[in-house]
Amino acid sequence: MSSKVTFKIILTSHPKQPFQVISVPSEAPFTAVIKYAAQHFKVDDASSAMLTDDGVGINPKQEAGAVFLKYGTNLRMIPRDKVGGTR
């Protein structure tokens, strides 16, 4: 039996900061978590970043269980077009 991990992902770029709670197998690639959350929030997963509550970026090339153990359950998603720079 596979263990599951649960993440509460907040869309930081939205004024109301909506969130999604996602439970996935701990062996699932974290890129799949990002893709699923991006689809829920209707943002592009290829141009979105996942951060901790402290603003630390998370490398997506690891398993969901490793991310959970390192960073915990509360994460923030931000589309990269909202990060840095001015227009």
Side-chain angles (χ1 to χ4, degrees):
M1 181 184 282
S2 172
S3 63
K4 290 194 169 196
V5 293
T6 301
F7 297 106
K8 178 182 176 185
I9 301 173
I10 299 170
L11 182 62
T12 304
S13 62
H14 192 280
K16 293 184 179 181
Q17 295 196 343
F19 69 92
Q20 172 72 19
V21 176
I22 300 172
S23 291
V24 297
S26 60
E27 302 84 24
F30 194 63
T31 53
V33 174
I34 294 171
K35 185 173 185 173
Y36 183 83
Q39 288 174 345
H40 173 78
F41 293 130
K42 296 180 176 67
V43 298
D44 183 16
D45 64 294
S47 64
S48 294
M50 198 68 76
L51 309 171
T52 66
D53 279 340
D54 297 329
V56 176
I58 299 172
N59 180 355
K61 296 180 181 176
Q62 52 189 326
E63 292 183 346
V67 171
F68 179 81
L69 289 174
K70 289 179 190 174
Y71 305 109
T73 189
N74 294 322
L75 303 177
R76 297 178 174 272
M77 175 174 267
I78 184 165
R80 288 198 174 116
D81 65 343
K82 303 290 184 190
V83 177
T86 57
R87 293 181 183 221

